[in-house]
Each structure stands twice: as structure tokens, then as C-alpha cells.
Amino acid sequence: MAQHTEPWIRKKIVILWVGLILLLIAMVLVGEGSGTILLSGREQTSLAKDVTRMVYFGGLVFVIVRLCHYRNLRKNRLRMEEETLQYYDERRQLIHEKSGGLLVDILLIALMAAVFLLGFVNMAAFETVLGVLLVTAGLKIGFYQYYSRRYGE
């Protein structure tokens, strides 16, 4: 099974490196664009400042932690086998699909990116997308918990 897992892990590592590069590019653009295209600091609310920082640095930490995890996983075959068995567990896959699946995961990432960008551009749109993000995340977590209890994970 490790032979099938190795390309999957390599793809995830490449995707994480691309994500890390995009996050670093976003940091440079936001730093250089302040006061020109983007809102100046005095027009941005404190909520927007705090949320954009949390989304950015939380995403940065998440990408770095996952990148280290997958790089270490490639070195340890036993852990790779265990993680592969967990990944292909039908009960976990069912719970993930019932709680929204890949579509909601992609939606959450897109909403976080929108919250980050709109936090610098338009406060009304920022607050609207933040509300949609919080409702979506709450529903995802709620349904995941419900189906986890229902299907006994």
C-alpha cells in the first residue's frame, strides 16, 4: 500500500509548497500595497485587522505544520501505512461526505481567502463574507459531530 501512497504524499507536498509561496507573495503584496490599492490602516476596522491576521498567520502555520508532517511521513514507512489505512477507512469517508465533503472544504478555503482580501478592500463585503464563513464552518463542524456520533467513530 505504501507504493500507492508515495505519489499521493508527493502531490500533497507540492500543493503545500505552492500554498506557502502564494501566502508569502500575498504578504509582500499586502505590505507593498498598503495605502495605494488597498485600504489604509485607519480605514480598516479592528475586527478586520484581527481577522485578516488570524486567517493569514493561521494559514501559514497550518501549511508549514502539514508540510513538515508529510515530509516526515515519507521517511517513516510504518506511519505512512497507518495514515493510509486511516485515510481509506470507509466510516471516516462516509462521515466526511455526509458533513459536506470536499465541496464544503473548498468553499471554506475560498471563503477564508475572500475574508483575507476583503478585509483590506471593503468592510461591508468583509463582514458579510465573514458571517457566511462562520455559518459554514459551524454547520460543517456540527454535521461532522452529529454523523460521528451517529456512525460511531
Side-chain angles (χ1 to χ4, degrees), residues 10 17 32 50-51 56 65 77 81 109 112 126 131 138:
R10 266 190 255 133
W17 272 111
E32 291 296 321
D50 293 340
V51 170
Y56 179 77
V65 166
R77 293 279 181 201
E81 290 287 336
I109 292 169
M112 281 191 276
F126 163 79

Side-chain angles (χ1 to χ4, degrees), residues 38-124:
L38 307 172
L39 287 176
S40 65
R42 63 183 189 279
E43 293 177 11
Q44 194 178 25
T45 64
S46 63
L47 174 67
K49 285 180 187 177
D50 293 340
V51 170
T52 54
R53 286 181 187 147
M54 283 191 303
V55 167
Y56 179 77
F57 290 110
L60 192 63
V61 167
F62 176 78
V63 167
I64 291 171
V65 166
R66 295 308 291 173
L67 189 59
C68 292
H69 171 74
Y70 286 125
R71 289 186 72 192
N72 290 335
L73 199 60
R74 283 184 65 194
K75 296 175 186 173
N76 190 340
R77 293 279 181 201
L78 183 60
R79 279 186 50 210
M80 188 186 307
E81 290 287 336
E82 290 172 3
E83 183 130 338
T84 304
L85 287 174
Q86 268 188 343
Y87 180 77
Y88 288 113
D89 181 28
E90 291 178 10
R91 184 173 43 214
R92 290 188 75 224
Q93 287 179 350
L94 175 69
I95 292 169
H96 182 257
E97 289 302 317
K98 290 277 191 180
S99 66
L102 184 62
L103 180 67
V104 174
D105 294 344
I106 292 171
L107 177 65
L108 287 170
I109 292 169
L111 286 171
M112 281 191 276
V115 162
F116 177 74
L117 294 174
L118 289 173
F120 295 104
V121 179
N122 186 339
M123 289 303 104

